[in-house]
Amino acid sequence: MRLIAAVAALSMAATLSGCGAGDAGDDVTLKLVAADYGSNDSNTSQKYWDGVARSFEKTHPGIKIDVDVMSWKNVDREVAEMVKNGQAPDLAQIGAYADYADAGQLYRVDELLPIPTQANFLPLLSRAGRVERTQYGMPFAASTRLLFYNKGLFDKAGAKPPKNWDDIRAAAEKLKGEGVKYPFALPLGSEESQAETMMWMLAGGGGYRDTSDISYDINSNANIATFTWLKNNLVRRGLTGPVAPGDLDRQEAFDAFIRGDVGMLNGHPTLMEAAEKAGIQVGKVPLPSPDGESRPAMGVADWMMAFKQNDHRKQIGEFLTYVYEDKNVLAFSDQYDILPVTTTASTAMRADAKHKDLWPFLEELPTSELYPVGQTSWAKVSESVKKNIGKAVAPDGDPDAVLSGIARDAEDAEAAE
């Protein structure tokens, strides 16, 4: 199934895109820098993008696609350096777009894509791609997070899937009694602790922002109560394993889960696949709230953006219209167990039983909450969280003081805009 018919898509794209470099018949090469979702050379995203690019080029003479796939550890920094040096790529598929949009360096989405393609983005993700009510970021990949548990370890310990926070503590105590190395792995180290932090904030009835969805509210009563509970009920009781949460990175926790050393942790679809390949029977439930009432899950999206510098708007629009056809969106989702970012591809995934393992994640996405990526201050706030949040749950830590310090950093970042 295609997102839209190719002829109609290209006609619309040409109508709205106007003239750009290369319109007079000169060949144009679009530079795309993209993040690598693969774990090794055999499944690198370079192969996916090379396939899409060569297929596009066959039906679009005069447009070439030069793809450079980079590790997630480097890609955001490399793109920032390119832009700083006046060598912006035409397209970047990375983690954040707001700074570039705020600086006037990106095309608006409505300058690039035909209306059917724009309208097909999932509404939650489309809204998250906006700065000052204008969409600049195009969602490319999405996921939600669920609480994973090792069914084999749970059965051996006589533990039950948790429905509230008391259940989490009770299950962790039983797992510890059976010698499980990490009853509950709590990665609050520097790698991606802003995600773990947000998951727990949401479960506890808080979040990074207040109810207006505009201002930060990091040291809210709900957030302080959440990290006080984690400190007193998991960390001090020795239920988070031999590595202090502030020193435990996400990948280290994921690797331990794949080895069978973790009873519970918050995970995403890619971890599910890796664990099951390693012979781990994975149970999945939404991260419970203190009283078991439903709370929004955390959603994550990565972004595609188009830079103005090279004046290739028309060609960029044609290529992106092709990228967001269902066949390409679903191919990427299939390869990396990532959730589709369009309505039609999501519908197709729900109807296909081969994606049954992803259905729980898919169901959580429409009501999930994402990072405040539309705020240009978010990058600095995220860095403060990564640097400091582990201290909040240390046995002698002060959650109020730590969260208040991060809140001050957020205020400073906002004031600097």
Side-chain angles (χ1 to χ4, degrees):
M1 181 176 66
R2 290 176 177 267
L3 185 58
I4 51 176
V7 173
L10 296 181
S11 174
M12 291 181 193
T15 298
L16 63 85
S17 296
C19 294
D23 288 348
D26 297 334
D27 285 354
V28 168
T29 298
L30 299 179
K31 176 69 174 181
L32 166 64
V33 177
D36 195 353
Y37 291 77
S39 56
N40 52 57
D41 290 342
S42 67
N43 68 346
T44 174
S45 298
Q46 186 76 45
K47 293 182 178 180
Y48 168 81
W49 280 115
D50 285 346
V52 171
R54 302 296 85 78
S55 178
F56 172 81
E57 289 168 354
K58 289 178 181 178
T59 55
H60 295 77
I63 305 177
K64 301 295 183 184
I65 311 297
D66 177 17
V67 182
D68 190 0
V69 170
M70 301 181 184
S71 164
W72 270 113
K73 293 181 179 180
N74 305 318
V75 67
D76 289 286
R77 183 180 69 252
E78 290 290 336
V79 170
E81 283 296 313
M82 292 177 189
V83 174
K84 181 180 177 181
N85 295 333
Q87 299 174 334
D90 295 286
L91 291 158
Q93 187 272 298
I94 52 178
Y97 65 87
D99 285 353
Y100 303 120
D102 188 61
Q105 295 167 322
L106 301 181
Y107 287 116
R108 302 189 313 268
V109 173
D110 64 5
E111 294 178 292
L112 300 167
L113 298 177
I115 290 174
T117 307
Q118 294 177 56
N120 199 33
F121 290 128
L122 293 171
L124 170 76
L125 303 180
S126 181
R127 291 192 298 271
R130 297 173 187 171
V131 174
E132 299 294 334
R133 300 184 181 181
T134 299
Q135 187 176 356
Y136 296 92
M138 291 158 278
F140 180 76
S143 68
T144 53
R145 306 294 169 88
L146 297 174
L147 176 64
F148 288 14
Y149 62 94
N150 183 315
K151 288 183 177 180
L153 296 179
F154 263 61
D155 288 345
K156 184 178 178 181
K160 297 180 179 180
K163 297 180 179 180
N164 55 49
W165 285 6
D166 287 342
D167 290 348
I168 289 177
R169 181 184 61 208
E173 288 174 339
K174 289 184 177 181
L175 291 162
K176 181 181 179 182
E178 288 294 325
V180 174
K181 192 172 183 179
Y182 293 89
F184 196 111
L186 186 66
L188 293 176
S190 61
E191 181 184 352
E192 206 197 19
S193 55
Q194 81 279 8
E196 188 75 18
T197 297
M198 184 171 175
M199 283 181 264
W200 282 102
M201 285 179 169
L202 292 173
Y208 283 121
R209 295 179 287 188
D210 61 19
T211 55
S212 73
D213 208 33
I214 297 174
S215 302
Y216 290 107
D217 196 18
I218 292 169
N219 59 335
S220 67
N221 290 336
N223 291 341
I224 292 169
T226 291
F227 282 87
T228 300
W229 187 91
L230 288 170
K231 181 187 76 169
N232 292 337
N233 291 273
L234 294 185
V235 179
R236 279 184 170 174
R237 292 171 182 259
L239 302 178
T240 54
V243 180
D247 296 326
L248 184 65
D249 282 341
R250 181 190 66 168
Q251 192 59 53
E252 185 180 355
F254 282 10
D255 290 344
F257 188 78
I258 292 170
R259 292 194 304 267
D261 291 336
V262 174
M264 294 174 278
L265 87 174
N266 291 311
H268 56 55
T270 304
L271 172 62
M272 174 190 67
E273 180 189 28
E276 290 177 346
K277 285 182 178 178
I280 305 295
Q281 288 187 299
V282 182
K284 304 179 292 293
V285 295
L287 178 62
S289 64
D291 57 7
E293 291 295 318
S294 178
R295 296 279 192 274
M298 188 191 79
V300 177
D302 301 323
W303 302 95
M304 179 74 75
M305 62 213 69
F307 287 89
K308 296 178 179 179
Q309 180 178 312
N310 300 320
D311 194 25
H312 290 158
R313 180 175 64 164
K314 178 180 183 295
Q315 294 82 5
I316 291 170
E318 292 184 9
F319 179 60
L320 287 177
T321 300
Y322 182 77
V323 165
Y324 284 107
E325 289 186 9
D326 275 6
K327 65 177 183 180
N328 296 318
V329 174
L330 287 169
F332 189 84
S333 297
D334 284 345
Q335 187 164 348
Y336 298 108
D337 279 331
I338 294 291
L339 302 182
V341 297
T342 63
T343 299
T344 51
S346 296
T347 300
M349 180 174 280
R350 284 190 181 94
D352 190 341
K354 77 176 182 180
H355 296 299
K356 188 174 182 180
D357 284 347
L358 290 176
W359 289 351
F361 299 93
L362 201 60
E363 292 303 316
E364 293 289 327
L365 185 59
T367 59
S368 65
E369 291 195 19
L370 282 73
Y371 296 135
V373 290
Q375 295 178 237
T376 56
S377 58
W378 169 241
K380 293 180 180 178
V381 175
S382 176
E383 284 303 312
S384 181
V385 173
K386 292 177 184 179
K387 181 179 177 181
N388 296 299
I389 195 62
K391 303 170 189 175
V393 299
D396 59 350
D398 183 341
D400 189 349
V402 172
L403 291 169
S404 294
I406 297 171
R408 287 192 295 272
D409 289 342
E411 291 175 2
D412 292 343
E414 288 276 274
E417 290 186 11

